[in-house]
Amino acid sequence: MRLILFDLLDENRYHFYPLALGRPIWELRCGITSLREKLVAAAGTSDVACFVPPYMEDHYRNQVGLPVNDASQLGGDDLLLVHGRLKADGLKALSGPSQVATDGNGQIVAARINQADLAKLETASIESLLESARANLPAADVQPATWDYTWDLVLENPAQLTRDFQALGNSGVEGSIEEPKALRGSTGDVFVAPGARVHPMVVLDASGGPIYIDEEAEVFPFTRVEGPCYLGRKSMLLGANCREGNSIGPVCRVGGEVEESIIHGYSNKYHDGFLGHAYVGQWVNLGAFTTNSDLKNDYTNVSIALDGKRPIDTGSTKVGALIGDHTKTSIGTLFNTGSFVGAMALIAATGKPLPKYIPSFAWFLEGVVTKGFGRKKLYETARIAMSRRKCEWTPAEESLWEAVFQMTKPERDPIIKIGRRMLANQRG
């Protein structure tokens, strides 16, 4: 059986922005692993092909080494087609004969197609296969559970961390924990991977959930880590108050207070400041004392405007910020509850909470959204930042972000025009 992961440019894909601007939805994280790793494990196959939006095809192919947007993968075997937002547990309901499963809006989120039935369907493209499967195969009896918004991942993260820890089955100290140490809870709920180092004067509190410290990660003195928590490969905690429910990706440097947040790889929150119930992309740098609010003063549900116009009720009183890839903040930046901060944005603090919506490629200067010094300067900054971690800014990556720049113009340009008028009035 071949697993076909698909993530197409449908009208609801923006529900996972700004994080999905630069990656397929299944590369988002929840718990210890990505959604893709969970889906592959649940499918029980190593034969995997992917269909992604065309603008990210070349960059994603370079990243994963899997067939990407290759229509030849749509034949020759039994197929399990899975949308990137399907929860891995939902695959259990799709065993047996060919069938198509949809969500509450009628969108196909999964399809099992046996080889004999596949011969009767259109396989020239992933779109034609999905439509012919809808028209010719029976509907599934169940509606599988899906991820619907990015904040679903944040809110589910603590529970998913515990499930992933149990599924991986690792525990004990294969790296090192230096004396004096303080370990609360069961030693069976702590795993220190080979090459990982926990310095003296660190508290590992597994009484509320497991703690997984991955290979070559390092925890510096005067850090407190509460489980459930995942610290990614080669990441560092530097005198951090690492509260429960955090997933920190590889090669991150994190200090200050962090609670129930997901941070992708190569991002830094080195200094003091609070990050709570947030999802932070890759190659983000949060300046000293950058802080987000994750609770409104009246304790009502948090809303987020993913397009800058229409607020969406998250259904939760605790949601912080969504921060896209390659965004940088200055010292003292203050994000309001339920903030949307696009990718490739550069933020200069104002001394008060920022607007709740900052579009991608915005230069937020003097309290307004501007085009600043343009996207080429942002690319040059990204190139320098990546080279510091021995990573390369490639032509395929620049092509991806050029496409994102064009995609996000409709949200950004009107706000820039307003900002231009505001600056003109301020300057007389």
Side-chain angles (χ1 to χ4, degrees), residues 92-105:
K92 298 175 183 177
L94 295 173
S95 59
S98 298
Q99 55 188 303
V100 175
T102 58
D103 65 10
N105 297 316

Side-chain angles (χ1 to χ4, degrees), residues 13 17-24 55-56 59-60 63 325 343 400-401 404:
R13 193 172 190 275
Y17 288 174
L19 286 308
L21 286 168
R23 59 179 58 80
Y55 76 89
M56 65 175 67
H59 177 58
Y60 189 64
Q63 284 187 316
D325 295 348
L400 178 153
W401 289 111
V404 172

Side-chain angles (χ1 to χ4, degrees), residues 50 52 95 126 143 153 174 184 195 226 300 305 344 404 421:
C50 305
V52 304
S95 59
I126 183 65
Q143 182 178 304
L153 304 171
E174 298 183 20
R184 300 188 71 239
E226 297 180 28
T300 57
M344 285 281 177
V404 172
R421 290 197 297 268

Side-chain angles (χ1 to χ4, degrees), residues 32-84:
I32 294 176
T33 57
S34 68
L35 304 187
R36 171 170 63 92
E37 291 171 297
K38 291 176 174 59
L39 289 168
V40 171
T45 179
S46 59
D47 188 357
V48 182
C50 305
F51 287 83
V52 304
Y55 76 89
M56 65 175 67
E57 175 182 336
D58 291 341
H59 177 58
Y60 189 64
R61 184 183 293 112
N62 293 341
Q63 284 187 316
V64 296
L66 294 171
V68 177
N69 291 6
D70 180 357
S72 69
Q73 298 294 312
L74 300 177
D77 201 349
D78 294 346
L79 300 183
L80 180 59
L81 279 64
V82 176
H83 195 288

Side-chain angles (χ1 to χ4, degrees), residues 186-197:
S186 169
T187 56
D189 287 332
V190 174
F191 179 61
V192 181
R197 293 196 300 163

